[in-house]
Amino acid sequence: MRYVSTRGQAPPVSFLDAVLAGLAPDGGLYVPAAWPKALDRDAFRGEAGVSPYSYVALNVLKAFAGDDLEWDEAATLANAAYLSTPGAAWPPAVTPLVQIGPGEWVLELFRGPSLSFKDVAMQLIGPLYDFALAKRDKRLTVLCATSGDTGGAAAEALKNRERVDLFILLPKDRVSDVQRRFMTATGADNVHAIEIDGDFDDCQALVKAMFADNEFATRAQLSGVNSINWARIVAQSVYFHVSANALPAPGPVNYAVPTGNFGDAFSGFVAKKCEAPIGKILMATNSNDILSRALAKGRYQRAKKSTETLSPAMDIQVASNFERILYEALNRDGEQVRRLYDQFAQSGGFDIPAPALEFLRTHFAADSVDDVATVASMRAHWLDGEGYMACPHTAVGLAAHSDPPIGAPHVTLATAHPAKFPDTVERAIGIAPPLPKKCEDLFLRREVMTETANDVAKVKAIITERSRAWA
């Protein structure tokens, strides 16, 4: 299995090289040169002694890794990430489905160690990095820009790993206390939380600038675990496969996906390309609505600044993974993608070609949900304790609608535990959800964090001083 850049100017690489690199050297994102075949239906019946989720995960991983992983290697990695054992982070189902109404389900993706859907992918990336780096006898400096949840999930997955140093860039005063502590209170010497005086898009721009500096990127052995990393997409596609095949529905399953960076929505498309029974994917955004505007108006145009909302992990104006779906929508024309993103870099927007827009509207719908509707959604689904308690991001997905409606069966992705946003939840329903027992000591742990300006030179200096991968 070979991987190519969405901008068409980088040589093809193997699966493990794509995972370790994160971003392609031409600034594009890695995608498979050809889509793998549909998963064998036996993948969903499982194997004796292996959890059903782990078995699907190893099948998906092997399909996208090709010769880079033997079957037993893929099985070892999947089991390390998801196998339910006494004291393990995951419940037996890993991502449980909860029915909340006729033809309507919630897919709970927040049962991992940092209480976020991003744990599902990060818990696979940790052992995958160990495997690949040991095979190559290398170290990595891993960069992570976060709007709240990616950083905590990366810290839980990569803390205390000998061959990795993790640097998390988080926006000042734009994450919840619980989110921040998952990044700053790990107790691990190889995890470095850096608070940037700016918003998420500023953090993401700093990461991209460091990758664009070839000399620095090479000397620091840079890699990224944001959703630009192909392993994140592969791992997230697993729960679409599992849930779509679990429901007793004769037709395709439709999804509402709370999204800012488009990674989770694109993961659903990846599962669909591998013939998972998936219908429409509804992109549910908050007031930072670049994705919903793009689908409605046919123009991908960033706002001057992101808006601060009650669903901060989605306060994003540049959806990195949109480049991947645009590449598919343009019949994999990397040169055209490159021209459009050059235009985006210069002017902050571009018109989506008509055939590509038709492709997007075939597979996706979109809606933008403001804070008032988010709170109303949380209240409506709680129903005085008789209903479902949702975090503000999940509430955006529950509130989102499309015209025409995407219909049943309808699964909304629950992306974070309500306890990650206790103030917002209490404001909405009058109850502050407690932290789960496995992390009830979170506020007793010592925080370690470095504050700095929105200045790439200053961030580089911190990494140069602390990274063990520096050459």
Side-chain angles (χ1 to χ4, degrees), residues 5-167:
S5 169
T6 51
R7 301 192 187 182
Q9 296 185 316
V13 298
S14 71
F15 172 76
L16 289 180
D17 286 336
V19 169
L20 292 179
L23 195 69
D26 62 358
L29 307 184
Y30 284 117
V31 291
W35 291 101
K37 296 178 182 178
L39 293 189
D40 191 297
R41 304 326 301 164
D42 287 341
F44 302 98
R45 287 191 280 272
E47 186 177 73
V50 180
S51 76
Y53 194 96
S54 293
Y55 195 68
V56 176
L58 80 88
N59 275 271
V60 172
L61 182 58
K62 183 69 176 78
F64 281 99
D67 293 339
D68 268 17
L69 291 176
E70 299 295 334
W71 181 263
D72 61 338
E73 293 170 335
T76 297
L77 294 171
N79 287 340
Y82 307 120
L83 196 59
S84 182
T85 57
W90 300 107
V94 180
T95 56
L97 273 166
V98 178
Q99 188 162 13
I100 60 171
E104 187 175 3
W105 284 264
V106 167
L107 182 63
E108 294 189 336
L109 305 177
F110 53 73
R111 298 297 185 177
S114 77
L115 312 182
S116 161
F117 82 95
K118 297 183 180 182
D119 287 321
V120 182
M122 291 296 188
Q123 288 296 304
L124 180 62
I125 284 179
L128 187 58
Y129 269 166
D130 278 350
F131 173 84
L133 292 172
K135 202 169 186 178
R136 287 160 168 72
D137 192 23
K138 288 179 60 176
R139 290 185 182 274
L140 276 186
T141 302
V142 176
L143 297 187
C144 171
T146 185
S147 55
D149 284 334
T150 298
E156 287 293 327
L158 299 179
K159 65 184 181 183
N160 299 319
R161 293 190 184 270
E162 175 60 29
R163 293 178 178 270
V164 171
D165 289 297
L166 173 65
F167 292 84

Side-chain angles (χ1 to χ4, degrees), residues 130-298:
D130 278 350
F131 173 84
L133 292 172
K135 202 169 186 178
R136 287 160 168 72
D137 192 23
K138 288 179 60 176
R139 290 185 182 274
L140 276 186
T141 302
V142 176
L143 297 187
C144 171
T146 185
S147 55
D149 284 334
T150 298
E156 287 293 327
L158 299 179
K159 65 184 181 183
N160 299 319
R161 293 190 184 270
E162 175 60 29
R163 293 178 178 270
V164 171
D165 289 297
L166 173 65
F167 292 84
I168 306 169
L169 277 59
L170 63 147
K172 182 178 177 65
D173 298 330
R174 298 290 287 267
V175 302
S176 76
D177 289 345
V178 175
Q179 286 178 307
R180 187 190 69 250
R181 282 181 171 272
F182 275 118
M183 299 177 247
T184 61
T186 65
D189 291 338
N190 70 323
V191 176
H192 309 275
I194 305 173
E195 188 179 62
I196 303 297
D197 188 9
D199 61 16
F200 168 76
D201 291 322
D202 294 323
C203 295
Q204 186 163 254
L206 289 169
V207 169
K208 288 185 175 180
M210 286 184 277
F211 273 104
D213 182 338
N214 289 330
E215 181 182 358
F216 178 80
T218 299
R219 292 196 68 186
Q221 297 294 297
L222 289 189
S223 183
V225 290
N226 284 78
S227 57
I228 59 173
N229 192 303
W230 181 250
R232 284 273 304 274
I233 301 299
V234 171
Q236 289 170 182
S237 75
V238 174
Y239 47 72
F240 285 96
H241 279 287
V242 172
S243 58
N245 282 278
L247 292 178
V253 178
N254 302 298
Y255 288 84
V257 181
T259 190
N261 223 355
F262 194 69
D264 223 3
F266 184 72
S267 300
F269 175 81
V270 168
K272 187 175 181 179
K273 287 293 286 185
C274 295
E275 299 189 20
I278 293 172
K280 207 87 166 184
I281 298 171
L282 172 60
M283 302 181 293
T285 72
N286 61 21
S287 298
N288 298 284
D289 59 351
I290 185 170
L291 291 169
S292 55
R293 284 187 286 109
L295 209 64
K297 299 180 179 180

Side-chain angles (χ1 to χ4, degrees), residues 393-404:
H393 306 79
T394 305
V396 168
L398 291 167
H401 298 283
S402 63
D403 186 19

Side-chain angles (χ1 to χ4, degrees), residues 174 199-202 260 286-294 297 299-308 314-319 344-345 347-350:
R174 298 290 287 267
D199 61 16
F200 168 76
D201 291 322
D202 294 323
N286 61 21
S287 298
N288 298 284
D289 59 351
I290 185 170
L291 291 169
S292 55
R293 284 187 286 109
K297 299 180 179 180
R299 182 168 177 80
Y300 186 71
Q301 178 72 50
R302 71 170 296 171
K304 289 183 179 179
K305 207 72 174 173
S306 64
T307 301
E308 191 170 355
M314 296 155 59
D315 291 351
I316 296 169
Q317 278 294 338
V318 182
F344 184 76
S347 65
F350 57 79

